Amino acid sequence: MRHDHIISAKQLSRADIDTVLDHAADIAADPGAFADRHSDTLLGLLFFEPSTRTKMSFTTAMKRLGGDIVDMGSVESSSVKKGESLADTVRVVEGYTDALVLRHPMEGSAKMASEFVDVPLVNAGDGAGQHPTQTLLDLYTIRENAGFDDLTIGIMGDLKYGRTVHSLAHALTTVDARQHFISPESLQLPRSVRYDLHEAGAGVREHTELDEILPELDVLYVTRIQAERFPDESEYREVAGQYQIDAETLDAAKDDLTVMHPLPRVDEIAHDVDETTHAQYFQQAHNGVPVRMALLDLMLGGDQ
């Protein structure tokens, strides 16, 4: 995987996924064994949108591998504020670093930026497009809790603008999974994503209510209704708060149901769910470190 750009979950085969997840499991079991793998490596962080988990876990991952980071900082404090293009920004930062991580509000931005650089570039979210490293840590969490065989998963919330959903849905076509999508009609999967899933042989099963499918699920993946993605605030207000679960909701679920969320949450998962055995979203976030360590190690030429 050395020098490959990671732009979309669609480029990840089942073999790629297994390689990253197996390596992440090895790292999680003995992180100290990987502490000096990349002591001379600098990772460039270019985040044009706010981030907590993704940015901090990439920082942690690089430092736990023995390397360090160079952070562009906020857009307001960078030359972007002066009108510098994304192409120029990545070409400049490429000269300082060994790999780049890019988050940008424009869909397709990571693909475009990758055409201007020779070091590995990782898409950390491009608008409503893709978020492949979130997908890898999601898959790691699913594999650890429910496995990949005969899996029934429900994905609920903002399916139209949710890049984590688009990436995960594509990746799940490589495993033995039945996918159910629960959302308001106005936030259903984009036609392009639905087409790609059909082309990959996945049956797209869409619902407007969770209760009709909840008892069958092994995993429930909940997403936030993203106010910042809506072009019209009135459209957001119409659907905000429609899809919420609490501990009582989960009385109808399997005892071993795994509840996931890419975070941050607002009100779609009540805090009483945190105290149940179903809740895995904080562990899901923690899994971002070994998974991103594994990906960086492989991309930068680890032993595997």
Side-chain angles (χ1 to χ4, degrees):
M1 296 180 68
R2 186 175 175 85
H3 296 307
D4 283 353
H5 304 305
I6 303 297
I7 305 300
S8 167
K10 288 188 281 187
Q11 75 189 85
L12 298 172
S13 67
R14 175 62 188 271
D16 292 330
I17 291 168
D18 286 341
T19 295
V20 175
L21 301 194
D22 289 347
H23 197 35
D26 290 341
I27 291 171
D30 187 9
F34 300 85
D36 297 316
R37 300 271 281 203
H38 297 281
S39 58
D40 296 324
T41 299
L42 284 176
L43 180 67
L45 303 182
L46 299 95
F47 279 68
F48 291 74
E49 283 188 319
S51 173
T52 300
R53 280 152 298 280
T54 302
K55 189 173 185 179
M56 291 187 72
S57 64
F58 265 114
T59 299
T60 303
M62 191 70 260
K63 291 190 174 187
R64 288 198 181 279
L65 288 169
D68 209 338
I69 60 105
V70 176
D71 187 355
M72 182 187 78
S74 68
V75 169
E76 289 73 20
S77 64
S78 73
S79 290
V80 176
K81 190 70 173 177
K82 302 175 184 178
E84 183 174 62
S85 69
L86 176 59
D88 283 358
T89 298
V90 295
R91 280 187 287 195
V92 168
V93 181
E94 174 192 23
Y96 307 146
T97 62
D98 302 290
L100 300 172
V101 178
L102 173 67
R103 170 169 290 188
H104 197 279
M106 182 178 70
E107 188 170 344
S109 56
K111 177 67 169 65
M112 184 275 288
S114 71
E115 295 172 359
F116 291 92
V117 296
D118 293 321
V119 300
L121 183 144
V122 179
N123 179 9
D126 60 335
Q130 289 272 318
H131 196 347
T133 65
Q134 177 69 46
T135 291
L136 286 168
L137 72 91
D138 291 343
L139 291 172
Y140 183 87
T141 306
I142 291 169
R143 192 175 76 166
E144 290 292 298
N145 287 276
F148 284 163
D149 297 322
D150 195 28
L151 174 70
T152 301
I153 181 169
I155 304 176
M156 184 176 80
D158 180 359
L159 312 184
K160 181 177 181 180
Y161 299 112
R163 59 195 175 202
T164 60
V165 168
H166 303 163
S167 290
L168 181 59
H170 286 298
L172 285 169
T173 65
T174 68
V175 304
D176 180 16
R178 292 172 294 278
Q179 299 188 58
H180 296 268
F181 300 94
I182 307 107
S183 71
E185 290 186 5
S186 62
L187 291 180
Q188 289 180 337
L189 286 171
R191 183 176 301 175
S192 61
V193 176
R194 192 183 294 113
Y195 175 81
D196 286 345
L197 294 178
H198 279 306
E199 285 291 291
V204 177
R205 303 165 185 86
E206 296 183 283
H207 312 265
T208 57
E209 300 296 334
L210 174 63
D211 56 8
E212 63 189 68
I213 191 63
L214 177 60
E216 299 179 30
L217 300 181
D218 302 304
V219 175
L220 175 60
Y221 191 97
V222 184
T223 68
R224 174 175 61 95
I225 306 296
Q226 303 175 87
E228 68 272 20
R229 302 286 177 214
F230 283 75
D232 183 347
E233 186 178 344
S234 64
E235 182 188 359
Y236 167 72
R237 288 198 299 268
E238 287 179 7
V239 296
Q242 282 192 25
Y243 287 75
Q244 300 174 332
I245 65 168
D246 55 22
E248 185 177 356
T249 307
L250 299 179
D251 287 344
K254 293 181 179 180
D255 291 343
D256 60 353
L257 172 73
T258 297
V259 177
M260 299 172 59
H261 192 304
L263 302 177
R265 65 175 165 182
V266 181
D267 56 4
E268 59 275 7
I269 297 180
H271 288 275
D272 62 0
V273 176
D274 301 355
E275 306 307 316
T276 72
T277 58
H278 302 297
Q280 289 296 323
Y281 28 87
F282 293 116
Q283 184 58 49
Q284 179 185 352
H286 298 161
N287 289 339
V289 173
V291 169
R292 289 177 170 124
M293 285 176 70
L295 184 66
L296 290 172
D297 187 36
L298 292 166
M299 291 182 72
L300 292 165
D303 291 344
Q304 295 197 17

